[in-house]
Coordinates of all heavy atoms in Angstrom, one line a residue:
M1 N 57.4 22.3 12.3 CA 57.5 21.5 11.1 C 56.2 21.7 10.3 O 55.1 21.6 10.9 CB 57.8 20.1 11.5 CG 58.0 19.2 10.3 SD 58.5 17.5 10.9 CE 58.6 16.7 9.3
P2 N 56.3 21.8 9.0 CA 55.1 21.9 8.2 C 54.4 20.5 8.2 O 55.0 19.5 8.4 CB 55.6 22.2 6.8 CG 57.0 21.7 6.8 CD 57.5 21.9 8.2
K3 N 53.0 20.6 8.0 CA 52.3 19.4 7.8 C 52.7 18.7 6.6 O 52.9 19.3 5.5 CB 50.8 19.7 7.8 CG 50.3 20.1 9.1 CD 48.8 20.4 9.0 CE 48.2 20.9 10.4 NZ 46.8 21.2 10.3
I4 N 52.9 17.4 6.7 CA 53.3 16.6 5.5 C 52.2 15.6 5.2 O 51.9 14.8 6.1 CB 54.6 15.9 5.7 CG1 55.7 16.9 5.9 CG2 55.0 15.0 4.4 CD1 57.0 16.4 6.3
Y5 N 51.6 15.6 4.0 CA 50.6 14.7 3.6 C 51.2 13.7 2.7 O 51.9 14.1 1.8 CB 49.4 15.5 3.0 CG 48.8 16.5 4.0 CD1 49.0 17.9 3.7 CD2 48.2 16.1 5.1 CE1 48.5 18.8 4.6 CE2 47.7 17.1 6.0 CZ 47.8 18.4 5.8 OH 47.4 19.3 6.7
C6 N 50.8 12.5 2.8 CA 51.4 11.4 2.0 C 50.4 10.2 1.9 O 49.7 9.9 2.9 CB 52.7 11.0 2.7 SG 53.5 9.5 1.9
N7 N 50.3 9.7 0.8 CA 49.4 8.6 0.6 C 50.1 7.2 0.5 O 49.4 6.3 0.0 CB 48.4 8.8 -0.5 CG 49.1 8.9 -1.8 OD1 50.3 9.0 -1.9 ND2 48.3 8.8 -2.9
I8 N 51.2 7.1 0.9 CA 51.9 5.8 0.8 C 51.6 5.0 2.1 O 52.3 5.1 3.1 CB 53.5 6.0 0.6 CG1 53.8 7.0 -0.5 CG2 54.2 4.6 0.5 CD1 53.2 6.5 -1.8
N9 N 50.5 4.3 2.1 CA 50.0 3.7 3.4 C 50.7 2.5 3.9 O 50.3 2.0 4.9 CB 48.5 3.5 3.4 CG 48.1 2.4 2.4 OD1 48.9 1.8 1.8 ND2 46.8 2.1 2.4
N10 N 51.7 2.0 3.2 CA 52.5 0.9 3.8 C 53.8 1.4 4.4 O 54.6 0.5 4.8 CB 52.8 -0.2 2.7 CG 53.7 0.3 1.6 OD1 53.6 1.5 1.2 ND2 54.6 -0.6 1.2
C11 N 53.9 2.7 4.5 CA 55.1 3.3 5.2 C 54.9 3.2 6.7 O 53.8 3.5 7.2 CB 55.3 4.7 4.8 SG 56.7 5.5 5.6
H12 N 55.9 2.9 7.4 CA 55.8 2.8 8.9 C 55.3 4.1 9.5 O 54.6 4.1 10.5 CB 57.2 2.5 9.4 CG 57.4 2.7 10.9 ND1 56.8 1.9 11.8 CD2 58.1 3.6 11.6 CE1 57.1 2.3 13.0 NE2 57.8 3.3 13.0
Y13 N 55.6 5.3 8.8 CA 55.2 6.6 9.4 C 53.9 7.1 9.0 O 53.5 8.1 9.5 CB 56.3 7.6 9.0 CG 57.7 7.2 9.5 CD1 58.7 6.7 8.7 CD2 58.0 7.3 10.9 CE1 59.9 6.4 9.1 CE2 59.2 6.9 11.4 CZ 60.2 6.5 10.5 OH 61.4 6.1 10.9
W14 N 53.2 6.4 8.1 CA 52.0 6.8 7.6 C 50.9 6.7 8.7 O 50.9 5.8 9.5 CB 51.5 6.0 6.4 CG 50.2 6.4 5.7 CD1 50.0 7.3 4.8 CD2 48.9 5.9 6.0 NE1 48.7 7.4 4.4 CE2 48.0 6.5 5.2 CE3 48.4 4.9 6.9 CZ2 46.6 6.3 5.3 CZ3 47.1 4.7 6.9 CH2 46.2 5.3 6.1
S15 N 50.0 7.7 8.7 CA 48.9 7.8 9.6 C 47.6 8.1 8.9 O 47.6 8.6 7.8 CB 49.1 8.9 10.7 OG 50.2 8.6 11.4
Q16 N 46.5 7.7 9.6 CA 45.1 7.9 9.0 C 45.0 9.4 8.6 O 45.6 10.3 9.2 CB 44.1 7.6 10.0 CG 43.8 6.1 10.2 CD 43.4 5.3 9.0 OE1 42.6 5.9 8.2 NE2 43.8 4.0 8.9
G17 N 44.2 9.5 7.5 CA 44.1 10.9 7.0 C 45.2 11.3 6.1 O 45.4 12.5 5.7
N18 N 46.0 10.3 5.6 CA 47.1 10.6 4.8 C 48.1 11.6 5.3 O 48.5 12.5 4.7 CB 46.7 11.0 3.3 CG 46.1 9.9 2.6 OD1 46.4 8.7 2.8 ND2 45.1 10.1 1.7
Q19 N 48.4 11.4 6.6 CA 49.3 12.3 7.3 C 50.6 11.5 7.6 O 50.6 10.4 8.0 CB 48.8 12.8 8.6 CG 47.4 13.6 8.4 CD 47.1 14.5 9.5 OE1 47.9 15.3 10.0 NE2 45.8 14.4 9.9
C20 N 51.7 12.2 7.4 CA 53.0 11.6 7.7 C 53.3 11.9 9.2 O 53.2 13.0 9.7 CB 54.1 12.3 7.0 SG 55.8 11.8 7.4
G21 N 53.6 10.8 10.0 CA 53.8 10.9 11.4 C 55.2 10.8 11.8 O 55.6 10.6 13.0
A22 N 56.2 11.0 10.8 CA 57.6 11.0 11.2 C 58.0 12.2 11.9 O 57.5 13.3 11.6 CB 58.4 10.8 9.9
S23 N 59.0 12.1 12.7 CA 59.5 13.3 13.5 C 60.2 14.2 12.6 O 60.3 15.4 12.8 CB 60.5 12.8 14.6 OG 61.5 12.0 14.1
E24 N 60.8 13.7 11.5 CA 61.4 14.5 10.5 C 61.5 13.6 9.2 O 61.5 12.4 9.3 CB 62.8 15.0 10.9 CG 63.7 13.9 11.4 CD 65.0 14.3 12.1 OE1 65.4 15.5 11.9 OE2 65.6 13.4 12.6
I25 N 61.6 14.3 8.0 CA 61.8 13.4 6.8 C 62.9 14.1 6.0 O 63.2 15.3 6.2 CB 60.6 13.3 6.0 CG1 60.1 14.6 5.4 CG2 59.4 12.7 6.8 CD1 59.1 14.4 4.2
M26 N 63.5 13.3 5.1 CA 64.5 13.9 4.1 C 64.0 13.6 2.8 O 63.7 12.5 2.4 CB 65.8 13.1 4.4 CG 66.9 13.7 3.5 SD 67.4 15.3 4.1 CE 68.1 16.0 2.6
V27 N 63.9 14.7 2.0 CA 63.5 14.5 0.6 C 64.8 14.7 -0.2 O 65.6 15.7 0.0 CB 62.5 15.6 0.1 CG1 62.2 15.6 -1.4 CG2 61.2 15.4 0.9
T28 N 65.0 13.9 -1.2 CA 66.2 14.0 -2.0 C 65.9 13.5 -3.4 O 64.8 13.3 -3.8 CB 67.4 13.2 -1.4 OG1 68.7 13.4 -2.2 CG2 67.1 11.7 -1.4
S29 N 66.9 13.4 -4.3 CA 66.7 13.0 -5.6 C 66.6 11.4 -5.7 O 67.2 10.7 -4.9 CB 67.8 13.4 -6.6 OG 69.0 12.7 -6.4
D30 N 65.9 10.9 -6.6 CA 65.8 9.5 -6.8 C 67.2 8.9 -7.0 O 67.5 7.8 -6.5 CB 64.9 9.2 -8.1 CG 63.5 9.5 -7.8 OD1 63.0 9.7 -6.7 OD2 62.7 9.4 -8.9
A31 N 67.9 9.6 -7.9 CA 69.3 9.1 -8.2 C 70.2 9.0 -6.9 O 70.9 8.0 -6.7 CB 69.9 10.0 -9.2
F32 N 70.1 10.0 -6.0 CA 70.9 9.9 -4.9 C 70.4 8.9 -3.9 O 71.2 8.1 -3.3 CB 71.0 11.3 -4.1 CG 71.9 11.3 -3.0 CD1 73.3 11.5 -3.1 CD2 71.4 11.1 -1.6 CE1 74.1 11.5 -2.1 CE2 72.3 11.1 -0.6 CZ 73.6 11.3 -0.8
A33 N 69.1 8.8 -3.7 CA 68.6 7.9 -2.8 C 68.8 6.4 -3.1 O 69.0 5.6 -2.3 CB 67.0 8.1 -2.6
S34 N 68.9 6.2 -4.4 CA 69.1 4.8 -4.9 C 70.5 4.3 -4.5 O 70.6 3.0 -4.4 CB 68.9 4.7 -6.4 OG 69.8 5.4 -7.1
Q35 N 71.4 5.1 -4.3 CA 72.8 4.6 -3.9 C 73.1 5.0 -2.5 O 74.3 4.7 -2.1 CB 73.7 5.1 -4.9 CG 73.8 6.6 -5.2 CD 74.6 7.4 -4.1 OE1 75.7 7.0 -3.7 NE2 74.0 8.5 -3.6
A36 N 72.3 5.6 -1.7 CA 72.6 6.0 -0.4 C 72.2 4.9 0.6 O 71.2 4.2 0.4 CB 71.9 7.3 0.0
P37 N 73.0 4.7 1.7 CA 72.6 3.6 2.7 C 71.3 4.0 3.5 O 70.9 5.1 3.6 CB 73.8 3.6 3.6 CG 74.4 4.9 3.5 CD 74.1 5.4 2.1
D38 N 70.6 3.0 4.0 CA 69.3 3.2 4.7 C 69.5 4.1 6.0 O 68.6 4.8 6.4 CB 68.7 1.9 5.2 CG 68.1 1.1 3.9 OD1 67.9 1.8 2.9 OD2 67.9 -0.1 4.1
D39 N 70.7 4.0 6.5 CA 70.9 4.8 7.8 C 71.3 6.2 7.6 O 71.5 7.0 8.5 CB 72.0 4.1 8.7 CG 73.3 4.0 8.1 OD1 73.5 4.4 6.9 OD2 74.2 3.5 8.8
L40 N 71.4 6.7 6.3 CA 71.7 8.1 6.0 C 70.3 8.7 5.8 O 69.6 8.4 4.8 CB 72.5 8.2 4.7 CG 72.9 9.7 4.4 CD1 73.8 10.2 5.4 CD2 73.5 9.7 3.0
D41 N 69.8 9.5 6.6 CA 68.5 10.1 6.5 C 68.4 11.4 7.2 O 69.4 12.2 7.3 CB 67.5 9.1 7.1 CG 66.1 9.2 6.5 OD1 65.5 10.2 6.5 OD2 65.7 8.1 5.9
A42 N 67.2 11.9 7.6 CA 66.9 13.2 8.0 C 67.9 13.7 9.1 O 68.3 14.9 9.1 CB 65.5 13.3 8.5
S43 N 68.3 12.9 10.0 CA 69.1 13.3 11.1 C 70.6 13.7 10.6 O 71.3 14.4 11.3 CB 69.2 12.3 12.2 OG 69.7 11.0 11.7
D44 N 70.8 13.2 9.3 CA 72.1 13.6 8.7 C 72.0 14.6 7.6 O 72.8 14.7 6.7 CB 72.7 12.2 8.1 CG 72.7 11.1 9.1 OD1 73.4 11.3 10.2 OD2 72.2 10.0 8.7
H45 N 70.9 15.4 7.7 CA 70.6 16.3 6.5 C 71.7 17.2 6.0 O 71.8 17.5 4.9 CB 69.3 17.1 6.8 CG 69.5 18.0 8.0 ND1 69.3 17.5 9.3 CD2 69.8 19.3 8.1 CE1 69.5 18.5 10.2 NE2 69.8 19.6 9.5
V46 N 72.6 17.6 7.0 CA 73.7 18.5 6.5 C 74.8 17.8 5.7 O 75.6 18.4 5.1 CB 74.4 19.2 7.8 CG1 73.4 20.1 8.4 CG2 74.9 18.2 8.7
Q47 N 74.7 16.5 5.8 CA 75.7 15.7 5.0 C 75.3 15.4 3.6 O 76.1 14.9 2.7 CB 76.0 14.3 5.7 CG 76.6 14.4 7.0 CD 76.8 13.1 7.6 OE1 77.0 12.1 7.0 NE2 76.6 13.0 9.0
F48 N 74.0 15.7 3.3 CA 73.5 15.5 1.9 C 74.0 16.6 1.0 O 74.0 17.8 1.3 CB 72.0 15.5 1.9 CG 71.3 14.2 2.3 CD1 71.5 13.8 3.7 CD2 70.6 13.4 1.5 CE1 70.8 12.7 4.1 CE2 70.0 12.2 1.9 CZ 70.1 11.9 3.2
P49 N 74.6 16.2 -0.2 CA 75.1 17.2 -1.1 C 73.8 18.0 -1.7 O 72.8 17.4 -1.8 CB 75.7 16.4 -2.2 CG 75.1 15.1 -2.1 CD 74.7 14.9 -0.7
Q50 N 74.1 19.2 -2.0 CA 73.0 20.0 -2.7 C 72.9 19.6 -4.1 O 73.9 19.3 -4.7 CB 73.3 21.5 -2.5 CG 73.2 22.0 -1.0 CD 73.6 23.4 -0.9 OE1 73.6 24.2 -1.8 NE2 74.0 23.8 0.3
M51 N 71.7 19.5 -4.6 CA 71.5 19.1 -6.0 C 70.2 19.7 -6.6 O 69.4 20.2 -5.8 CB 71.5 17.6 -6.1 CG 70.5 16.9 -5.2 SD 70.7 15.1 -5.2 CE 72.4 15.0 -4.4
E52 N 70.0 19.5 -7.8 CA 68.8 20.1 -8.5 C 68.0 18.9 -9.1 O 68.5 17.9 -9.3 CB 69.2 21.0 -9.6 CG 70.0 22.3 -9.1 CD 70.3 23.2 -10.2 OE1 70.1 22.9 -11.4 OE2 70.8 24.3 -9.9
A53 N 66.7 19.2 -9.2 CA 65.8 18.3 -9.9 C 65.0 19.1 -11.0 O 64.8 20.3 -10.7 CB 64.8 17.7 -8.9
N54 N 64.6 18.5 -12.0 CA 63.9 19.2 -13.1 C 62.4 19.0 -13.0 O 61.6 19.8 -13.5 CB 64.4 18.7 -14.4 CG 65.8 19.0 -14.7 OD1 66.3 20.2 -14.5 ND2 66.6 18.1 -15.1
Q55 N 62.0 17.9 -12.3 CA 60.5 17.8 -12.1 C 60.3 16.9 -10.9 O 61.2 16.3 -10.4 CB 60.0 17.0 -13.3 CG 60.7 15.8 -13.8 CD 60.3 15.3 -15.2 OE1 59.2 15.6 -15.6 NE2 61.2 14.6 -15.9
C56 N 59.1 16.9 -10.4 CA 58.8 16.3 -9.1 C 59.1 14.8 -9.2 O 59.4 14.1 -8.1 CB 57.4 16.6 -8.6 SG 56.1 16.0 -9.8
M57 N 58.9 14.2 -10.3 CA 59.1 12.8 -10.5 C 60.6 12.4 -10.2 O 60.9 11.2 -10.1 CB 58.7 12.2 -11.8 CG 57.2 12.3 -12.0 SD 56.6 13.9 -12.5 CE 57.0 13.9 -14.2
E58 N 61.5 13.3 -10.1 CA 62.9 13.0 -9.9 C 63.2 13.1 -8.4 O 64.4 12.9 -8.0 CB 63.8 14.0 -10.6 CG 63.7 13.9 -12.1 CD 64.5 14.9 -12.8 OE1 65.2 15.6 -12.2 OE2 64.4 14.9 -14.1
T59 N 62.2 13.3 -7.5 CA 62.5 13.4 -6.1 C 61.7 12.4 -5.3 O 60.8 11.8 -5.8 CB 62.1 14.8 -5.5 OG1 60.7 14.9 -5.5 CG2 62.7 15.9 -6.4
C60 N 62.2 12.1 -4.1 CA 61.5 11.0 -3.4 C 61.8 11.3 -1.9 O 62.5 12.1 -1.4 CB 62.1 9.6 -3.7 SG 63.8 9.4 -3.1
C61 N 61.0 10.6 -1.0 CA 61.1 10.6 0.4 C 62.1 9.6 0.8 O 61.8 8.4 0.7 CB 59.7 10.4 1.1 SG 59.9 10.3 2.8
K62 N 63.2 10.0 1.3 CA 64.3 9.1 1.7 C 63.9 8.4 2.9 O 64.4 7.3 3.3 CB 65.6 9.8 1.9 CG 66.8 9.0 2.3 CD 67.3 8.1 1.3 CE 68.6 7.5 1.7 NZ 68.5 6.5 2.9
T63 N 63.0 8.9 3.7 CA 62.6 8.4 5.0 C 61.7 7.2 5.0 O 61.5 6.5 6.0 CB 62.0 9.5 5.9 OG1 62.9 10.7 5.8 CG2 61.8 9.2 7.3
F64 N 61.1 7.0 3.9 CA 60.2 5.8 3.7 C 60.8 4.6 4.2 O 61.9 4.2 3.8 CB 59.8 5.7 2.2 CG 59.1 4.3 2.0 CD1 57.7 4.2 2.2 CD2 59.7 3.3 1.5 CE1 57.0 3.0 2.1 CE2 59.1 2.0 1.3 CZ 57.8 1.9 1.6
V65 N 60.1 3.8 5.0 CA 60.5 2.5 5.4 C 59.2 1.6 5.5 O 58.2 2.1 6.0 CB 61.3 2.4 6.7 CG1 60.5 2.9 7.9 CG2 61.8 1.0 6.9
P66 N 59.2 0.4 4.9 CA 57.9 -0.3 5.0 C 57.6 -0.6 6.4 O 58.4 -0.9 7.3 CB 58.3 -1.6 4.2 CG 59.5 -1.3 3.4 CD 60.2 -0.2 4.1
A67 N 56.2 -0.6 6.6 CA 55.8 -1.0 8.0 C 56.2 -2.4 8.3 O 56.3 -3.3 7.4 CB 54.2 -1.0 8.0
Y68 N 56.6 -2.6 9.6 CA 57.1 -3.9 10.1 C 58.4 -4.3 9.6 O 58.9 -5.4 9.8 CB 56.0 -5.0 9.8 CG 54.6 -4.6 10.1 CD1 53.6 -4.4 9.2 CD2 54.3 -4.4 11.5 CE1 52.4 -4.0 9.5 CE2 53.0 -4.0 11.8 CZ 52.0 -3.7 10.8 OH 50.8 -3.4 11.1
S69 N 59.2 -3.4 8.9 CA 60.5 -3.8 8.4 C 61.4 -3.9 9.5 O 61.4 -3.1 10.5 CB 60.9 -2.7 7.4 OG 62.2 -2.8 7.1
D70 N 62.5 -4.7 9.3 CA 63.6 -4.7 10.3 C 64.5 -3.5 10.2 O 65.5 -3.4 10.9 CB 64.4 -6.0 10.2 CG 65.0 -6.2 8.9 OD1 64.9 -5.4 8.0 OD2 65.6 -7.3 8.7
Q71 N 64.3 -2.6 9.2 CA 65.1 -1.4 9.0 C 64.5 -0.2 9.8 O 65.1 0.9 9.8 CB 65.2 -1.1 7.5 CG 65.9 -2.1 6.7 CD 67.3 -2.3 7.2 OE1 68.1 -1.4 7.2 NE2 67.6 -3.5 7.7
I72 N 63.4 -0.4 10.4 CA 62.8 0.7 11.2 C 63.7 1.1 12.3 O 64.2 0.3 13.0 CB 61.4 0.3 11.8 CG1 60.4 0.1 10.6 CG2 60.9 1.3 12.8 CD1 59.1 -0.5 11.0
G73 N 64.0 2.4 12.4 CA 64.9 2.9 13.5 C 66.4 3.0 13.1 O 67.1 3.7 13.9
V74 N 66.8 2.4 12.0 CA 68.2 2.6 11.7 C 68.6 4.0 11.4 O 69.8 4.3 11.4 CB 68.6 1.6 10.6 CG1 68.3 0.1 10.9 CG2 68.0 2.0 9.2
D75 N 67.7 4.8 11.0 CA 68.0 6.2 10.5 C 67.8 7.2 11.6 O 68.0 8.4 11.4 CB 67.2 6.5 9.3 CG 65.7 6.3 9.5 OD1 65.2 6.1 10.7 OD2 64.9 6.4 8.6
G76 N 67.3 6.8 12.8 CA 67.2 7.7 14.0 C 65.8 8.5 13.9 O 65.6 9.3 14.8
V77 N 65.0 8.3 12.9 CA 63.7 8.9 12.8 C 62.7 8.2 13.7 O 62.8 7.0 13.7 CB 63.3 9.0 11.3 CG1 61.9 9.7 11.2 CG2 64.2 9.7 10.4
T78 N 61.9 9.0 14.4 CA 60.9 8.4 15.2 C 59.5 8.7 14.7 O 59.3 9.6 13.9 CB 61.0 8.9 16.7 OG1 60.9 10.3 16.6 CG2 62.4 8.5 17.2
K79 N 58.5 7.9 15.2 CA 57.1 8.1 14.8 C 56.4 8.9 15.9 O 56.4 8.4 17.0 CB 56.5 6.8 14.5 CG 55.1 6.9 13.9 CD 54.6 5.5 13.5 CE 53.2 5.6 12.9 NZ 52.7 4.3 12.4
N80 N 55.7 9.9 15.5 CA 54.9 10.6 16.5 C 53.8 9.8 16.9 O 53.2 9.1 16.1 CB 54.4 12.0 15.9 CG 55.6 12.9 15.5 OD1 56.6 12.9 16.1 ND2 55.4 13.7 14.4
S81 N 53.4 9.9 18.1 CA 52.3 9.1 18.7 C 50.9 9.8 18.4 O 50.9 10.9 18.1 CB 52.4 8.8 20.1 OG 52.6 10.0 20.9
Ligands
SF4_1 S1 58.1 9.1 5.8 FE1 57.8 9.7 3.7 S2 56.8 7.9 2.6 FE2 56.6 7.7 4.9 S3 54.6 8.6 5.4 FE3 56.1 10.2 5.7 S4 56.3 11.3 3.7 FE4 55.2 9.3 3.4

């Protein structure tokens, strides 16, 4: 898996050095993510429809979950130790 750097430090998967510690992540469009359930995520990647974006601001990390949220784990993604 490629190294993923991210500076969203209130995400459950964020680690020191701005590194993403998720076992896998799903990037999708803002529009799709805004209407998709929390439990649809990287482990379901083949179920995501293919789509296009015109600029980076139209994409987002679907795997984000706030630290200490009760939604941690609903998507099957784990945090690397
Ligand atoms: S899951 Fe997404 S938002 Fe969270 S640290 Fe990784 S890349 Fe950043």
Side-chain angles (χ1 to χ4, degrees):
M1 183 174 178
K3 292 181 179 176
I4 299 171
Y5 303 109
C6 176
N7 65 343
I8 310 301
N9 72 353
N10 68 322
C11 177
H12 169 68
Y13 301 106
W14 182 87
S15 297
Q16 287 295 328
N18 288 331
Q19 300 196 51
C20 175
S23 57
E24 53 189 347
I25 69 167
M26 185 72 206
V27 175
T28 188
S29 73
D30 291 348
F32 184 82
S34 67
Q35 53 82 44
D38 286 343
D39 61 358
L40 184 69
D41 211 295
S43 60
D44 309 303
H45 59 277
V46 295
Q47 297 178 33
F48 281 67
Q50 297 177 16
M51 55 190 63
E52 296 181 354
N54 295 311
Q55 50 191 336
C56 62
M57 290 80 81
E58 296 176 5
T59 71
C60 70
C61 175
K62 178 72 173 62
T63 308
F64 168 82
V65 63
Y68 313 110
S69 166
D70 60 4
Q71 295 301 301
I72 292 170
V74 300
D75 53 13
V77 178
T78 59
K79 186 173 183 178
N80 298 328
S81 54

